[in-house]
Amino acid sequence: MKRSTWIFKYAIIALGILSCSDSSDGEETPVDMGGNEEEMEVQPEEGTVRVILTTADGNTRLRELDNKLPFTNTPASGATITLNEAVTLQTIEGFGGALTGSAAALLQNNTQALNALFGAEGARLSYTRLTVGASDFNKNGSYTYNDIVEAEDINLENFSISEDFTSNNPVVPVAKSIITINPNMGFLASPWTAPAWMKGNRSFNGGSLLPRYYSSYANYLVKYLEAYNAEGVGINTITVQNEPLFETNAYPTMKMSALEQAAFIGMHFGPALEATNLSTEIIGYDHNFREAEDPDFPITLLSNTEAAKYTNAIAYHAYAGVPGEINRVKTQFPNADIYFTEQSGIQNGGTTFGGEIDFFMKTIFMGTLRRGAKTILLWNLALDANGGPTNGGCQDCRGILTVSSNGSFVKNVDYYILAHFSKYVDKGATVIASNNLQGSLENVAFKNPDGSKVLVVYNASNAAAPQNFNVSLGGARFSYALPKGAVVTFKWD
């Protein structure tokens, strides 16, 4: 992640102008979520709506209110969020964060912290990102699975994932512990760099993959997937390069242009993966909503006929640009799958609980879920009180949990934001149509596989008084007053 983007982000927040509003692309989403079709008939029920609330001051955090809300069949007046479960959109694959080497070192043998993240009584996270080799958060420093001193190892005879079992980097053991808690856990993997000998600068940090090693790198990624699968950690999805338009000499990175990524997927990695028995799906891009160097990267990739044989998916981060950039992709490729795969919270003197809720709810959750996102993954699952251990990366990043040396932990604002979704929206849920009251009562609705409905609403209004509104579905409705800057999750059968 680029440090400069953090400065920009929080300067914007300080000015009070950061929102989910888009640039010249406008606010129109590529899919109609307004629910214009005829609503399904339902019978009004009383006392069946659970209410879970988090307030901007942090005094109330993921608290389920004692009284459920009653349904009525009286006509709604005033602001109304109307759901239409006849219009189903994307299927949710999960919510979660990244098991970096740093997070794994802090979470190993910490059953209480793992249950808080993944357990049924905790946040019930359902998707975890893994780093293929080291990232900028790794206690043991930089490494890949094929680090050699010789000129090259074309046949990858020295390939090994043994580093991911060490006491300071127990990624595989912790991943297995997560699966024990949630056997249906989904995993996404992302590499920060190819082995140094495959790159022009022969370094972990920066540089590019040499074309003559495309096939070797494709086989390297396949070997990683097979090795993890053999350990019982099946990888559902993989991106071929984290933040491909960014490089630094401070930590593992690798430049990969859109044309290079298209050639690598279409001519090498795609065919190599297809030749296996693995069911892992390839996701492209894995970078910010907009990168000035190449704003059309996702479109170039999906337009490539060879790459399109093996991927129809784009992953985004939110360190630069706005969610409206997704519209450009969905307009040209309406069937493209959208994933959100990284955003870290930041902890400094200007950070506030309510400010983080505002940014994450508008930009990350509402901004991407209403544009087709199938996952929302934040950054480190856990960091220590100093925002580490780091490997040359962000110095003021915040984990979803802050874990101390004795294993005790603090749930950060990221935890509560995630849990408003992950705890109540099941894997396999579909997003259903709802009218978004932009800048006021921003929302997204879901229907779980068991038929239960979930609606998450954020009061983005600048008005000091609570916002009164109705929620309507098929002639039945309930009413609620949501405080400024607060988040509420409604769940009903």
Side-chain angles (χ1 to χ4, degrees), residues 88-137:
T88 59
L89 304 168
Q90 75 270 24
T91 299
I92 297 298
E93 296 184 12
F95 301 90
L99 183 65
T100 59
S102 297
L106 291 165
L107 292 172
Q108 63 177 326
N109 302 318
N110 194 331
T111 303
Q112 188 175 2
L114 288 169
N115 277 316
L117 290 165
F118 301 102
E121 301 303 315
R124 213 167 65 106
L125 301 183
S126 52
Y127 218 91
T128 299
R129 190 183 188 204
L130 302 172
T131 68
V132 182
S135 71
D136 46 327
F137 281 89

CSV table of all heavy atoms in Angstrom, one decimal, residues 88-137:
chain,number,residue,atom,x,y,z
A,88,THR,N,-32.6,-10.1,-7.4
A,88,THR,CA,-31.4,-10.6,-6.7
A,88,THR,C,-30.2,-10.3,-7.5
A,88,THR,O,-30.2,-10.4,-8.7
A,88,THR,CB,-31.5,-12.2,-6.5
A,88,THR,OG1,-31.6,-12.8,-7.8
A,88,THR,CG2,-32.7,-12.5,-5.6
A,89,LEU,N,-29.1,-9.9,-6.8
A,89,LEU,CA,-27.9,-9.4,-7.5
A,89,LEU,C,-26.8,-10.4,-7.2
A,89,LEU,O,-27.0,-11.6,-7.3
A,89,LEU,CB,-27.6,-8.0,-7.0
A,89,LEU,CG,-28.8,-7.1,-7.3
A,89,LEU,CD1,-28.7,-5.7,-6.6
A,89,LEU,CD2,-29.0,-6.9,-8.8
A,90,GLN,N,-25.6,-10.0,-6.8
A,90,GLN,CA,-24.5,-10.8,-6.6
A,90,GLN,C,-24.6,-11.7,-5.4
A,90,GLN,O,-25.3,-11.4,-4.4
A,90,GLN,CB,-23.2,-10.1,-6.5
A,90,GLN,CG,-22.9,-9.4,-5.2
A,90,GLN,CD,-23.5,-8.0,-5.2
A,90,GLN,OE1,-24.4,-7.6,-5.9
A,90,GLN,NE2,-22.9,-7.1,-4.3
A,91,THR,N,-23.9,-12.9,-5.5
A,91,THR,CA,-23.8,-13.8,-4.3
A,91,THR,C,-22.6,-13.5,-3.5
A,91,THR,O,-21.5,-13.3,-4.0
A,91,THR,CB,-23.8,-15.2,-4.8
A,91,THR,OG1,-24.9,-15.5,-5.6
A,91,THR,CG2,-23.7,-16.2,-3.6
A,92,ILE,N,-22.8,-13.4,-2.2
A,92,ILE,CA,-21.8,-13.0,-1.3
A,92,ILE,C,-20.9,-14.3,-0.9
A,92,ILE,O,-21.4,-15.3,-0.6
A,92,ILE,CB,-22.3,-12.5,0.1
A,92,ILE,CG1,-23.1,-11.2,-0.2
A,92,ILE,CG2,-21.2,-12.2,1.1
A,92,ILE,CD1,-22.2,-10.0,-0.8
A,93,GLU,N,-19.6,-14.1,-1.1
A,93,GLU,CA,-18.7,-15.2,-0.8
A,93,GLU,C,-18.1,-15.1,0.6
A,93,GLU,O,-17.7,-16.1,1.2
A,93,GLU,CB,-17.6,-15.3,-1.8
A,93,GLU,CG,-18.1,-15.7,-3.2
A,93,GLU,CD,-17.0,-15.8,-4.2
A,93,GLU,OE1,-15.8,-15.9,-3.9
A,93,GLU,OE2,-17.4,-15.9,-5.4
A,94,GLY,N,-18.0,-13.8,1.2
A,94,GLY,CA,-17.6,-13.7,2.5
A,94,GLY,C,-17.0,-12.3,2.9
A,94,GLY,O,-16.8,-11.5,2.0
A,95,PHE,N,-16.8,-12.2,4.2
A,95,PHE,CA,-16.2,-11.0,4.8
A,95,PHE,C,-15.1,-11.4,5.6
A,95,PHE,O,-15.1,-12.4,6.3
A,95,PHE,CB,-17.2,-10.2,5.6
A,95,PHE,CG,-18.5,-9.8,4.9
A,95,PHE,CD1,-19.6,-10.6,4.8
A,95,PHE,CD2,-18.5,-8.6,4.2
A,95,PHE,CE1,-20.7,-10.2,4.1
A,95,PHE,CE2,-19.7,-8.1,3.5
A,95,PHE,CZ,-20.8,-9.0,3.5
A,96,GLY,N,-14.0,-10.6,5.7
A,96,GLY,CA,-12.9,-10.9,6.5
A,96,GLY,C,-11.7,-10.0,6.4
A,96,GLY,O,-11.8,-8.8,6.1
A,97,GLY,N,-10.5,-10.6,6.6
A,97,GLY,CA,-9.3,-9.8,6.6
A,97,GLY,C,-8.1,-10.7,6.2
A,97,GLY,O,-8.3,-11.8,5.7
A,98,ALA,N,-6.9,-10.2,6.4
A,98,ALA,CA,-5.7,-10.9,5.9
A,98,ALA,C,-4.9,-11.6,7.0
A,98,ALA,O,-4.6,-10.9,8.0
A,98,ALA,CB,-4.8,-9.9,5.1
A,99,LEU,N,-4.6,-12.8,6.8
A,99,LEU,CA,-3.7,-13.5,7.7
A,99,LEU,C,-2.3,-13.4,7.2
A,99,LEU,O,-1.7,-14.2,6.5
A,99,LEU,CB,-4.1,-15.0,7.7
A,99,LEU,CG,-3.2,-15.9,8.7
A,99,LEU,CD1,-3.5,-15.5,10.1
A,99,LEU,CD2,-3.6,-17.4,8.5
A,100,THR,N,-1.7,-12.2,7.4
A,100,THR,CA,-0.3,-11.9,7.0
A,100,THR,C,0.6,-12.7,8.0
A,100,THR,O,0.1,-13.2,9.0
A,100,THR,CB,0.0,-10.4,7.1
A,100,THR,OG1,-0.2,-10.0,8.5
A,100,THR,CG2,-0.9,-9.6,6.2
A,101,GLY,N,1.9,-12.7,7.7
A,101,GLY,CA,2.8,-13.3,8.6
A,101,GLY,C,2.8,-12.7,10.0
A,101,GLY,O,2.9,-13.4,11.0
A,102,SER,N,2.6,-11.4,10.0
A,102,SER,CA,2.6,-10.7,11.3
A,102,SER,C,1.3,-11.1,12.1
A,102,SER,O,1.4,-11.3,13.3
A,102,SER,CB,2.5,-9.1,11.0
A,102,SER,OG,3.7,-8.7,10.4
A,103,ALA,N,0.2,-11.1,11.4
A,103,ALA,CA,-1.1,-11.5,12.1
A,103,ALA,C,-1.0,-13.0,12.6
A,103,ALA,O,-1.4,-13.3,13.7
A,103,ALA,CB,-2.2,-11.4,11.1
A,104,ALA,N,-0.4,-13.9,11.8
A,104,ALA,CA,-0.3,-15.2,12.2
A,104,ALA,C,0.6,-15.4,13.4
A,104,ALA,O,0.3,-16.2,14.3
A,104,ALA,CB,0.3,-16.1,11.0
A,105,ALA,N,1.7,-14.6,13.5
A,105,ALA,CA,2.6,-14.7,14.7
A,105,ALA,C,1.8,-14.2,16.0
A,105,ALA,O,2.1,-14.8,17.0
A,105,ALA,CB,3.8,-13.8,14.5
A,106,LEU,N,0.9,-13.3,15.8
A,106,LEU,CA,0.2,-12.8,17.0
A,106,LEU,C,-1.0,-13.7,17.3
A,106,LEU,O,-1.4,-13.7,18.5
A,106,LEU,CB,-0.3,-11.4,16.7
A,106,LEU,CG,0.8,-10.3,16.6
A,106,LEU,CD1,0.2,-9.1,16.0
A,106,LEU,CD2,1.3,-10.0,18.0
A,107,LEU,N,-1.6,-14.4,16.4
A,107,LEU,CA,-2.8,-15.2,16.6
A,107,LEU,C,-2.5,-16.7,16.9
A,107,LEU,O,-3.4,-17.4,17.4
A,107,LEU,CB,-3.7,-15.1,15.4
A,107,LEU,CG,-4.3,-13.8,15.1
A,107,LEU,CD1,-5.0,-13.8,13.7
A,107,LEU,CD2,-5.3,-13.4,16.2
A,108,GLN,N,-1.3,-17.1,16.7
A,108,GLN,CA,-1.0,-18.6,17.0
A,108,GLN,C,-1.3,-18.9,18.4
A,108,GLN,O,-0.9,-18.2,19.3
A,108,GLN,CB,0.4,-18.9,16.6
A,108,GLN,CG,1.5,-18.2,17.4
A,108,GLN,CD,2.9,-18.7,17.0
A,108,GLN,OE1,3.1,-19.8,16.7
A,108,GLN,NE2,3.9,-17.8,17.1
A,109,ASN,N,-2.0,-20.0,18.6
A,109,ASN,CA,-2.4,-20.6,19.9
A,109,ASN,C,-3.2,-19.6,20.7
A,109,ASN,O,-3.4,-19.8,21.9
A,109,ASN,CB,-1.1,-20.9,20.7
A,109,ASN,CG,-0.2,-21.9,20.0
A,109,ASN,OD1,-0.7,-22.9,19.4
A,109,ASN,ND2,1.1,-21.7,20.1
A,110,ASN,N,-3.8,-18.6,20.1
A,110,ASN,CA,-4.6,-17.6,20.8
A,110,ASN,C,-6.1,-18.0,20.5
A,110,ASN,O,-6.7,-17.3,19.6
A,110,ASN,CB,-4.3,-16.2,20.4
A,110,ASN,CG,-4.9,-15.2,21.3
A,110,ASN,OD1,-5.9,-15.4,21.9
A,110,ASN,ND2,-4.2,-14.0,21.5
A,111,THR,N,-6.6,-19.0,21.1
A,111,THR,CA,-7.9,-19.5,20.8
A,111,THR,C,-9.0,-18.4,21.0
A,111,THR,O,-10.0,-18.3,20.2
A,111,THR,CB,-8.3,-20.7,21.7
A,111,THR,OG1,-7.3,-21.7,21.4
A,111,THR,CG2,-9.6,-21.3,21.3
A,112,GLN,N,-8.8,-17.6,22.1
A,112,GLN,CA,-9.8,-16.6,22.3
A,112,GLN,C,-9.9,-15.5,21.2
A,112,GLN,O,-11.0,-15.1,20.8
A,112,GLN,CB,-9.5,-15.9,23.7
A,112,GLN,CG,-10.6,-15.0,24.2
A,112,GLN,CD,-10.3,-14.4,25.6
A,112,GLN,OE1,-9.3,-14.7,26.1
A,112,GLN,NE2,-11.3,-13.6,26.1
A,113,ALA,N,-8.7,-15.1,20.8
A,113,ALA,CA,-8.7,-14.1,19.7
A,113,ALA,C,-9.3,-14.7,18.4
A,113,ALA,O,-10.0,-14.0,17.7
A,113,ALA,CB,-7.3,-13.6,19.5
A,114,LEU,N,-8.9,-15.9,18.1
A,114,LEU,CA,-9.4,-16.6,16.9
A,114,LEU,C,-10.9,-16.8,16.9
A,114,LEU,O,-11.6,-16.6,15.9
A,114,LEU,CB,-8.7,-17.9,16.7
A,114,LEU,CG,-7.2,-17.8,16.2
A,114,LEU,CD1,-6.6,-19.2,16.3
A,114,LEU,CD2,-7.1,-17.3,14.8
A,115,ASN,N,-11.4,-17.1,18.1
A,115,ASN,CA,-12.9,-17.3,18.2
A,115,ASN,C,-13.6,-15.9,18.1
A,115,ASN,O,-14.7,-15.8,17.6
A,115,ASN,CB,-13.2,-17.9,19.5
A,115,ASN,CG,-13.1,-19.5,19.4
A,115,ASN,OD1,-13.6,-20.1,18.5
A,115,ASN,ND2,-12.6,-20.1,20.4
A,116,ALA,N,-13.0,-14.9,18.6
A,116,ALA,CA,-13.6,-13.5,18.5
A,116,ALA,C,-13.7,-13.1,17.0
A,116,ALA,O,-14.6,-12.5,16.6
A,116,ALA,CB,-12.7,-12.5,19.2
A,117,LEU,N,-12.7,-13.6,16.2
A,117,LEU,CA,-12.8,-13.2,14.8
A,117,LEU,C,-13.7,-14.2,14.0
A,117,LEU,O,-14.5,-13.7,13.1
A,117,LEU,CB,-11.3,-13.3,14.2
A,117,LEU,CG,-10.4,-12.2,14.6
A,117,LEU,CD1,-8.9,-12.6,14.3
A,117,LEU,CD2,-10.7,-10.9,14.0
A,118,PHE,N,-13.5,-15.5,14.2
A,118,PHE,CA,-14.2,-16.4,13.3
A,118,PHE,C,-15.3,-17.3,14.0
A,118,PHE,O,-16.0,-17.9,13.2
A,118,PHE,CB,-13.1,-17.4,12.8
A,118,PHE,CG,-12.0,-16.7,12.1
A,118,PHE,CD1,-10.8,-16.5,12.7
A,118,PHE,CD2,-12.2,-16.3,10.8
A,118,PHE,CE1,-9.7,-15.8,12.0
A,118,PHE,CE2,-11.2,-15.6,10.1
A,118,PHE,CZ,-10.0,-15.4,10.7
A,119,GLY,N,-15.4,-17.2,15.3
A,119,GLY,CA,-16.4,-18.1,15.9
A,119,GLY,C,-17.8,-17.6,15.8
A,119,GLY,O,-18.1,-16.4,15.5
A,120,ALA,N,-18.7,-18.5,16.0
A,120,ALA,CA,-20.2,-18.2,15.9
A,120,ALA,C,-20.6,-17.1,16.9
A,120,ALA,O,-21.5,-16.4,16.6
A,120,ALA,CB,-21.0,-19.5,16.1
A,121,GLU,N,-19.9,-17.0,18.0
A,121,GLU,CA,-20.3,-16.0,19.0
A,121,GLU,C,-19.4,-14.7,18.8
A,121,GLU,O,-19.6,-13.7,19.5
A,121,GLU,CB,-20.1,-16.5,20.4
A,121,GLU,CG,-20.9,-17.8,20.8
A,121,GLU,CD,-22.4,-17.5,20.6
A,121,GLU,OE1,-22.8,-16.4,21.0
A,121,GLU,OE2,-23.1,-18.4,20.0
A,122,GLY,N,-18.5,-14.8,17.8
A,122,GLY,CA,-17.7,-13.6,17.5
A,122,GLY,C,-18.2,-12.9,16.3
A,122,GLY,O,-19.4,-12.9,16.0
A,123,ALA,N,-17.2,-12.4,15.5
A,123,ALA,CA,-17.6,-11.7,14.3
A,123,ALA,C,-18.0,-12.6,13.1
A,123,ALA,O,-18.6,-12.2,12.1
A,123,ALA,CB,-16.4,-10.8,13.8
A,124,ARG,N,-17.7,-13.9,13.3
A,124,ARG,CA,-18.1,-14.9,12.3
A,124,ARG,C,-17.5,-14.6,10.9
A,124,ARG,O,-18.2,-14.8,9.9
A,124,ARG,CB,-19.6,-15.1,12.2
A,124,ARG,CG,-20.1,-16.5,11.9
A,124,ARG,CD,-21.6,-16.6,12.3
A,124,ARG,NE,-22.4,-15.7,11.4
A,124,ARG,CZ,-23.1,-16.2,10.3
A,124,ARG,NH1,-23.2,-17.4,10.1
A,124,ARG,NH2,-23.8,-15.3,9.6
A,125,LEU,N,-16.3,-14.2,10.8
A,125,LEU,CA,-15.6,-13.9,9.5
A,125,LEU,C,-15.6,-15.1,8.7
A,125,LEU,O,-15.4,-16.2,9.2
A,125,LEU,CB,-14.2,-13.3,9.7
A,125,LEU,CG,-14.1,-12.0,10.5
A,125,LEU,CD1,-12.7,-11.6,10.6
A,125,LEU,CD2,-15.0,-10.9,10.0
A,126,SER,N,-15.8,-15.0,7.4
A,126,SER,CA,-16.0,-16.1,6.5
A,126,SER,C,-15.0,-16.2,5.3
A,126,SER,O,-15.1,-17.2,4.6
A,126,SER,CB,-17.4,-16.1,6.0
A,126,SER,OG,-17.7,-14.9,5.4
A,127,TYR,N,-14.1,-15.2,5.2
A,127,TYR,CA,-13.1,-15.2,4.1
A,127,TYR,C,-11.8,-14.7,4.6
A,127,TYR,O,-11.8,-13.6,5.3
A,127,TYR,CB,-13.7,-14.4,2.9
A,127,TYR,CG,-13.4,-15.0,1.5
A,127,TYR,CD1,-14.3,-15.8,0.9
A,127,TYR,CD2,-12.2,-14.7,0.8
A,127,TYR,CE1,-14.1,-16.4,-0.3
A,127,TYR,CE2,-12.0,-15.2,-0.4
A,127,TYR,CZ,-12.9,-16.0,-1.0
A,127,TYR,OH,-12.7,-16.5,-2.3
A,128,THR,N,-10.7,-15.3,4.2
A,128,THR,CA,-9.4,-14.9,4.7
A,128,THR,C,-8.4,-14.7,3.5
A,128,THR,O,-8.4,-15.6,2.7
A,128,THR,CB,-8.9,-15.9,5.7
A,128,THR,OG1,-9.7,-16.0,6.9
A,128,THR,CG2,-7.5,-15.5,6.2
A,129,ARG,N,-7.7,-13.7,3.5
A,129,ARG,CA,-6.7,-13.4,2.5
A,129,ARG,C,-5.3,-13.9,3.0
A,129,ARG,O,-5.0,-13.7,4.2
A,129,ARG,CB,-6.6,-12.0,2.2
A,129,ARG,CG,-5.7,-11.7,0.9
A,129,ARG,CD,-5.7,-10.2,0.7
A,129,ARG,NE,-5.0,-9.8,-0.5
A,129,ARG,CZ,-4.4,-8.6,-0.8
A,129,ARG,NH1,-4.4,-7.7,0.2
A,129,ARG,NH2,-3.8,-8.4,-1.9
A,130,LEU,N,-4.6,-14.6,2.2
A,130,LEU,CA,-3.3,-15.1,2.5
A,130,LEU,C,-2.3,-14.4,1.6
A,130,LEU,O,-2.6,-14.1,0.4
A,130,LEU,CB,-3.2,-16.6,2.3
A,130,LEU,CG,-4.2,-17.5,3.2
A,130,LEU,CD1,-4.1,-18.9,2.7
A,130,LEU,CD2,-3.8,-17.3,4.6
A,131,THR,N,-1.1,-14.2,2.0
A,131,THR,CA,0.0,-13.7,1.2
A,131,THR,C,0.8,-14.9,0.7
A,131,THR,O,1.2,-15.8,1.4
A,131,THR,CB,0.9,-12.7,1.9
A,131,THR,OG1,1.6,-13.4,2.9
A,131,THR,CG2,0.0,-11.6,2.6
A,132,VAL,N,1.1,-14.9,-0.6
A,132,VAL,CA,1.9,-15.9,-1.2
A,132,VAL,C,3.4,-15.5,-1.0
A,132,VAL,O,3.9,-14.7,-1.8
A,132,VAL,CB,1.6,-16.1,-2.7
A,132,VAL,CG1,2.5,-17.2,-3.3
A,132,VAL,CG2,0.1,-16.4,-2.9
A,133,GLY,N,4.0,-16.0,0.0
A,133,GLY,CA,5.3,-15.5,0.4
A,133,GLY,C,5.1,-14.3,1.3
A,133,GLY,O,4.1,-14.0,1.9
A,134,ALA,N,6.2,-13.5,1.5
A,134,ALA,CA,6.2,-12.4,2.4
A,134,ALA,C,5.5,-11.1,1.8
A,134,ALA,O,5.5,-10.9,0.6
A,134,ALA,CB,7.6,-12.0,2.8
A,135,SER,N,4.9,-10.3,2.7
A,135,SER,CA,4.4,-9.0,2.3
A,135,SER,C,5.1,-8.0,3.1
A,135,SER,O,6.2,-8.2,3.6
A,135,SER,CB,2.9,-9.0,2.6
A,135,SER,OG,2.6,-8.9,4.0
A,136,ASP,N,4.5,-6.8,3.2
A,136,ASP,CA,5.1,-5.7,4.1
A,136,ASP,C,4.8,-5.9,5.5
A,136,ASP,O,5.2,-5.1,6.3
A,136,ASP,CB,4.7,-4.4,3.6
A,136,ASP,CG,3.2,-4.2,3.3
A,136,ASP,OD1,2.6,-5.2,2.9
A,136,ASP,OD2,2.7,-3.1,3.5
A,137,PHE,N,4.1,-7.0,5.9
A,137,PHE,CA,3.8,-7.3,7.3
A,137,PHE,C,4.2,-8.8,7.5
A,137,PHE,O,3.5,-9.7,7.3
A,137,PHE,CB,2.3,-7.1,7.6
A,137,PHE,CG,2.0,-5.7,7.9
A,137,PHE,CD1,1.6,-4.8,6.8
A,137,PHE,CD2,2.1,-5.1,9.1
A,137,PHE,CE1,1.4,-3.5,7.0
A,137,PHE,CE2,1.9,-3.8,9.3
A,137,PHE,CZ,1.5,-3.0,8.3
